[in-house]
Amino acid sequence: MKQSRTPLHALIAGIGLLGATALAHAGEVEVLHYWTSGGEAKSAAELKKMMAAKGHTWKDFAVAGGGGENAMTVLKTRVVSGNPPTAAQIKGPSIQEWGNEGVLANLDPVAKAGGWDTLLPPVVANVMKYKGNYVAVPVNVHRVNWMWVNPEVFKKAGAKIPTTWDEFAAAADKIQKAGFIPVAHGGQNWQDATVFESIALGVGGADYYQKAFVKLDAAALASPTTEKVFDTLRLVKKYTDKDSPGRDWNLATAMVINGKAAMQFMGDWAKGEFTAAGKKPGTDFICAPAPGTAKAYTFNIDSFVLFSQKSKDMKVTNDLAASILSPEFQEVFNLNKGSIPARLNMPKTKFDDCARLSMDDFVATSKSGGLVPSFAHGMAMPSATQGAVVDVVSNFMNSSMSSKDAVQKLIAASKKR
């Protein structure tokens, strides 16, 4: 999900570690992570317990508030000084950027021993590799292209839950006439981009999405399909409320929970808001793929890169990597987080209906080619390109810019590096 900037005090605390921390010694696990919320903190404790069982001591390097630039600055200082932590929470194309620095550990021995190539879909495994070698390990998979629905609002409005964007317009009209807000939305640029990419996937399909927003193919971006995506985004905007600008995503989710709004387009972290409110999937709320995306899946994966250490320290590095991808940790972490395991074919008994559907679709789309990385959540593009593309989408959402003009601006943004 969206990453926020790290507060200055976290930066200062992190810098303090530079002077206080001696070179990591064998048996000590130091991990830069952002698992500071309730469920995530429980998961970090579980990983700590697993490492203790293997004889290692855990040294926390937790930074509250998400993966901001300041935390990355601290990490770079640590690495340059020759004192990297064991691992750091980094994802998507940023893994390749760290690989280019030549500071990451080669995890192929532990990957081969654990059969990672059979446990992970190729599209996910490739994100974890640098020049063909594993350098990172995935913790979870978030599905981004979800639509969260209040079935009672649909029932009161006499509307059908949409499976296509044409059906969406028909349902939204009925919902609006019945006095409800059709779409709960937070007008922040990353939320705008989240809706946009689900529309792109639903309007154009996985092949178009892959060409346009992963490969940044100019012909795909310039196609009439992209113009239709912007037209559909404008349609969705029409059914949001006037108070949406600046609203946080969880407040938008609350509008669906309390029956003020009918639906929200958001990743599966939204499910945590429903469950925290005591709502049950399939009864009090419905999780469904965004219109037109039932056979596709945009993923956002939390992962850890592991850093090269002295040879004597590689045992702790390999043990940490193996523990993160172990069935035990994958299960407990994802039950806490609301996401699903990155490992294929995990037992589903402890997971709820939404997670089970996500797990089934994860497997199916990994075979069909419908599994694609979320550009809105930093999985598909270089960071400079992503920022430029997100700006175009958000500017379109908040202006009278024509779809034709937006397409041209999107093409220009795709060239930013």
Side-chain angles (χ1 to χ4, degrees), residues 51-276:
M51 295 304 289
K54 295 183 179 183
H56 305 306
T57 57
W58 181 276
K59 186 166 190 175
D60 227 25
F61 187 179
V63 182
E69 291 174 7
N70 290 342
M72 289 302 103
T73 301
V74 174
L75 178 62
K76 285 173 186 173
T77 307
R78 288 284 304 271
V79 174
V80 169
S81 70
N83 180 27
T86 313
Q89 194 173 344
I90 292 169
K91 68 177 189 176
S94 295
I95 294 171
Q96 304 304 309
E97 293 168 16
W98 280 96
N100 288 335
E101 299 299 318
V103 294
L104 300 184
N106 185 331
L107 301 177
D108 283 352
V110 68
K112 188 173 181 182
W116 289 11
D117 278 342
T118 59
L119 293 177
L120 302 173
V123 68
V124 173
N126 289 340
V127 176
M128 303 299 136
K129 293 178 180 179
Y130 175 72
K131 293 187 175 177
N133 304 121
Y134 279 101
V135 294
V137 55
V139 180
N140 64 350
V141 176
H142 283 293
R143 187 180 197 171
V144 180
N145 61 308
W146 279 120
M147 176 174 64
W148 303 94
V149 170
N150 184 315
E152 191 63 26
V153 173
F154 271 82
K155 186 178 177 182
K156 288 176 180 175
K160 174 180 174 284
I161 296 171
T163 58
T164 68
W165 287 107
D166 286 340
E167 289 179 1
F168 164 82
D173 270 337
K174 287 183 177 180
I175 291 161
Q176 200 167 56
K177 283 172 185 171
F180 300 98
I181 297 166
V183 178
H185 182 62
Q188 298 169 337
N189 62 2
W190 72 272
Q191 295 190 63
D192 295 341
T194 298
V195 176
F196 177 85
E197 75 173 17
S198 283
I199 293 171
L201 190 63
V203 168
D207 186 53
Y208 159 78
Y209 179 95
Q210 183 80 24
K211 286 176 182 172
F213 301 104
V214 181
K215 295 180 180 175
L216 301 172
D217 178 75
L221 287 167
S223 69
T225 303
T226 309
E227 191 174 330
K228 189 177 179 185
V229 172
F230 277 109
D231 287 343
T232 307
L233 182 63
R234 173 92 4 105
L235 176 73
V236 172
K237 173 70 186 291
K238 173 185 163 186
Y239 293 112
T240 62
D241 66 299
K242 62 178 176 57
D243 296 324
S244 69
R247 179 187 288 140
D248 288 335
W249 69 269
N250 55 314
L251 299 180
T253 308
M255 293 166 63
V256 180
I257 292 171
N258 64 31
K260 188 176 180 182
M263 55 191 142
Q264 180 189 21
F265 302 104
M266 185 52 61
D268 56 17
W269 47 89
K271 184 178 69 175
E273 299 298 306
F274 287 95
T275 52

Side-chain angles (χ1 to χ4, degrees), residues 16-40:
L17 286 168
L18 301 182
T21 307
L23 287 174
H25 56 271
E28 180 180 270
V29 184
E30 187 182 15
V31 182
L32 170 60
H33 67 86
Y34 318 117
W35 293 345
T36 54
S37 70
E40 293 170 332

